[in-house]
Amino acid sequence: MPLFIGVDIGGTKVLAAAVSSAGRVLRTATRTTPGRRVEARLVEDALTEAVQEIAGVRRVGAIGIAAAGFVDAQGERVRFAPHLPWQDEGVRARLAERWSAPVVLDNDANCAARAELTYGAVGDAESAVVVTLGTGIGGALILDGEVLRGYNGMAGEFGHNQVVPGGRPCECGGTGCWEQYCSGNALTRFVRDQGVEDLAGPAITAAAAAGDPVALAAFAEVGEWLGVGVANLVASFDPQIVVIGGGLSAAGDLLLEPARHALRESLVGAAHRTVPPVVRAALGPEAGAVGAADLARQRFRSAGTRARARLRAARETARRP
Amino acid sequence: MPLFIGVDIGGTKVLAAAVSSAGRVLRTATRTTPGRRVEARLVEDALTEAVQEIAGVRRVGAIGIAAAGFVDAQGERVRFAPHLPWQDEGVRARLAERWSAPVVLDNDANCAARAELTYGAVGDAESAVVVTLGTGIGGALILDGEVLRGYNGMAGEFGHNQVVPGGRPCECGGTGCWEQYCSGNALTRFVRDQGVEDLAGPAITAAAAAGDPVALAAFAEVGEWLGVGVANLVASFDPQIVVIGGGLSAAGDLLLEPARHALRESLVGAAHRTVPPVVRAALGPEAGAVGAADLARQRFRSAGTRARARLRAARETARRP
């Protein structure tokens, strides 16, 4: 059986994983992302090293890449990636040639949503809003059991929805973007604003779990913003379920209970509809890589199946008198 | 040929229309909506009168109802309608029995979007955001050439997305809803706030067209809010086109130019994608009725076609030796 590999490339880390057809991570390899102001070649070298470490001498079926950036509708290019040196380059074809293997490319949040859809918290739901809370917000919409890609391949970028007119400036160039109020960065900022300097990232989650009042208040505020933003998405898309993933989701109900409360308060007509459950993602930090591997497997396994079916059909035709 | 009739019922008016298969309005009848604090029977009497005036002695193929409210996913009930006396009642079946005709029911903004999809401004686009600007905001999303209904049948209710935390109170019970800043009511409020008391509704559009500076400033502000809200929807959904309908769209570029400008300014990664065109709806105030008639025609014509096909197949089978 050939290996199917998923590679998640973010602003800080490259994570490659060999993934079974049941979504189990068999083996991982990591590299540091060389940065955004370097030659693209250096990033591709890091990807190549991680893939080679995973593959060893095994035959590779296909490789999926989950990239932190806007990927075009054809899955050929990274159009816009604030944390990566790729811009409008035909990355997929170049890596496929370098690796002599089939390669597919998608946005990292789309890949994480795909993993939740195939193996995780989406379950039997036909439609879902998936919010990935890390440093910023990654998002995806699932409709009719598929990740919605959109006309430009850029659907689900709701982290940059404006929620406060003239609000906090965002790296995207806008102001008042949702991720400025609801993300790992927002959590750390809240704690700093309370005068606590030595608490950041996962340590805030640990402090909240231990009952620290500042950390708890930080999750209450970020959770409320999560619920308000989710209410807007639910009013627009009316999904069956809402799945919250990413690093912050490790806080579980400390984050999700304030979000559920704000969703019920903010959602139009909440008393006259089924308010969707807000659940924690089932897959951990490897969700992006798992989803990318699944995308690669589905794309190229089915191509293989179709090719074999065509071959059989051609042979049978040839045998006829 | 049987008649297909669409009936649009809003908070102030009932509009019934016989509509050709090409989307042409053949004949209309109107009644005043009896109000929301009356017996449901009175509203249904008004609908019945309008339908009877249209139908006369002609055979009716089917009737579609476009209702200003939340319609359930099965199209059987109006779940929540601030301007109508219906609540959680099986309206569709009751009217079908009363009229002895097939009846379909959907949300009015969904019907208007369907009319734009079948006969209007959506054209060949596969996906669209449709915003209907009247007293408030009606909305719909089109995906893969279909109006997205959502899990509860309530997709597209983005008029109640919160755009200003703690902002203007809304009839829905929330605060800072988009339609408080971007609608006919918002336009009138802006003009009043400038000290102009004798200008409201379509008169503001006429005044703006004639160069009145207060009316022009009102459209500039409402148009900017339109663009900001549309940017959020485009970031989430990535549609091929944005269609603006409803009474306010009669102002054309006075409304749409500020909206296009704000969309380009607010949309994340605008320089790295195709920013969708923002166009005026092609159908006028009858869009809801036209879409409802189209829904009725598609539903029941295809049922008839299937029934006839089945009959033909059964006859052929019976003729075989």
Side-chain angles (χ1 to χ4, degrees), chain A residues 143-234:
Chain A
L143 282 173
D144 290 334
E146 294 279 343
V147 176
L148 178 71
R149 304 216 66 244
Y151 183 62
N152 294 279
M154 295 173 192
E157 289 291 339
F158 33 72
H160 298 282
N161 282 8
Q162 183 186 295
V163 296
V164 179
R168 295 176 187 157
C170 183
E171 287 80 5
C172 77
T175 57
C177 293
W178 188 24
E179 71 171 36
Q180 292 300 320
Y181 301 85
C182 179
S183 64
N185 278 349
L187 197 73
T188 302
R189 178 204 301 255
F190 181 94
V191 169
R192 294 264 157 82
D193 286 351
Q194 303 297 309
V196 181
E197 293 291 335
D198 58 343
L199 215 51
I204 305 178
T205 307
D212 178 88
V214 171
L216 284 170
F219 272 107
E221 167 149 318
V222 168
E224 187 181 340
W225 272 113
L226 178 58
V228 168
V230 163
N232 287 356
L233 296 171
V234 170

Side-chain angles (χ1 to χ4, degrees), chain A residues 19-65:
Chain A
V19 182
S20 81
S21 62
R24 201 158 56 81
V25 172
L26 306 170
R27 198 155 62 249
T28 62
T30 56
R31 291 292 183 281
T32 301
T33 302
R36 63 169 294 198
R37 289 197 179 77
V38 299
E39 272 184 65
R41 178 86 192 184
L42 285 180
V43 166
E44 293 162 24
D45 287 349
L47 288 175
T48 302
E49 283 178 33
V51 166
Q52 282 172 342
E53 184 181 325
I54 292 286
V57 297
R58 290 277 304 274
R59 185 163 72 84
V60 172
I63 300 164
I65 301 175

Side-chain angles (χ1 to χ4, degrees), chain B residues 102-306:
Chain B
V103 171
V104 296
L105 172 69
D106 201 353
N107 168 268
D108 55 353
N110 284 359
C111 288
R114 186 182 177 93
E116 294 297 332
L117 172 64
T118 311
Y119 308 111
V122 174
D124 293 330
E126 283 291 302
S127 59
V129 165
V130 183
V131 183
T132 304
L133 291 176
T135 313
I137 290 181
L141 299 169
I142 290 169
L143 192 68
D144 290 335
E146 295 278 344
V147 177
L148 179 71
R149 302 216 66 243
Y151 184 62
N152 293 278
M154 296 174 191
E157 290 291 339
F158 33 70
H160 298 281
N161 283 7
Q162 184 187 293
V163 297
V164 179
R168 296 177 186 155
C170 183
E171 287 80 5
C172 78
T175 57
C177 293
W178 188 25
E179 72 171 36
Q180 292 300 320
Y181 301 85
C182 179
S183 63
N185 279 348
L187 197 71
T188 302
R189 177 204 301 256
F190 181 93
V191 169
R192 294 263 156 82
D193 286 353
Q194 303 298 310
V196 181
E197 293 292 334
D198 57 344
L199 214 52
I204 305 178
T205 308
D212 178 88
V214 171
L216 284 170
F219 272 107
E221 169 151 316
V222 169
E224 187 180 343
W225 272 112
L226 178 59
V228 168
V230 162
N232 287 356
L233 296 170
V234 170
S236 298
F237 194 66
D238 191 10
Q240 197 172 348
I241 194 171
V242 177
V243 177
I244 310 297
L248 262 66
S249 67
D253 283 347
L254 294 177
L255 174 75
L256 300 184
E257 268 306 312
R260 291 177 187 125
H261 182 260
L263 170 61
R264 282 191 303 270
E265 291 290 305
S266 301
L267 179 62
V268 61
H272 306 281
R273 64 193 297 162
T274 309
V275 178
V278 178
V279 304
R280 185 177 159 183
L283 292 145
E286 290 149 355
V290 170
D294 182 57
L295 182 64
R297 183 186 298 274
Q298 295 307 323
R299 188 80 55 84
F300 287 99
R301 189 181 58 184
S302 57
T305 307
R306 279 199 304 275

Side-chain angles (χ1 to χ4, degrees), chain A residues 31-308:
Chain A
R31 291 292 183 281
T32 301
T33 302
R36 63 169 294 198
R37 289 197 179 77
V38 299
E39 272 184 65
R41 178 86 192 184
L42 285 180
V43 166
E44 293 162 24
D45 287 349
L47 288 175
T48 302
E49 283 178 33
V51 166
Q52 282 172 342
E53 184 181 325
I54 292 286
V57 297
R58 290 277 304 274
R59 185 163 72 84
V60 172
I63 300 164
I65 301 175
F70 284 14
V71 173
D72 71 350
Q74 292 72 41
E76 290 291 330
R77 292 159 194 278
V78 173
R79 295 289 296 272
F80 174 54
H83 307 295
L84 298 174
W86 288 328
Q87 195 173 314
D88 263 341
E89 294 174 85
V91 170
R92 194 209 60 77
R94 193 163 62 230
L95 290 174
E97 196 183 333
R98 181 164 177 184
W99 297 343
S100 302
V103 171
V104 295
L105 171 70
D106 200 354
N107 168 268
D108 55 354
N110 283 359
C111 289
R114 187 183 177 92
E116 294 297 331
L117 172 66
T118 312
Y119 308 112
V122 174
D124 293 330
E126 283 291 302
S127 59
V129 165
V130 183
V131 183
T132 304
L133 292 176
T135 312
I137 289 181
L141 299 170
I142 291 169
L143 282 173
D144 290 334
E146 294 279 343
V147 176
L148 178 71
R149 304 216 66 244
Y151 183 62
N152 294 279
M154 295 173 192
E157 289 291 339
F158 33 72
H160 298 282
N161 282 8
Q162 183 186 295
V163 296
V164 179
R168 295 176 187 157
C170 183
E171 287 80 5
C172 77
T175 57
C177 293
W178 188 24
E179 71 171 36
Q180 292 300 320
Y181 301 85
C182 179
S183 64
N185 278 349
L187 197 73
T188 302
R189 178 204 301 255
F190 181 94
V191 169
R192 294 264 157 82
D193 286 351
Q194 303 297 309
V196 181
E197 293 291 335
D198 58 343
L199 215 51
I204 305 178
T205 307
D212 178 88
V214 171
L216 284 170
F219 272 107
E221 167 149 318
V222 168
E224 187 181 340
W225 272 113
L226 178 58
V228 168
V230 163
N232 287 356
L233 296 171
V234 170
S236 299
F237 301 104
D238 190 10
Q240 198 172 349
I241 194 171
V242 177
V243 176
I244 311 297
L248 262 66
S249 67
D253 284 346
L254 295 177
L255 174 76
L256 299 185
E257 268 306 312
R260 291 176 188 124
H261 182 261
L263 170 60
R264 281 191 303 271
E265 292 290 306
S266 301
L267 179 60
V268 61
H272 307 281
R273 63 194 295 162
T274 309
V275 179
V278 177
V279 303
R280 185 176 158 185
L283 292 144
E286 289 149 356
V290 169
D294 182 56
L295 182 64
R297 183 185 300 274
Q298 295 307 323
R299 187 78 57 85
F300 288 100
R301 188 182 58 184
S302 57
T305 307
R306 280 199 303 276
R308 279 192 298 276

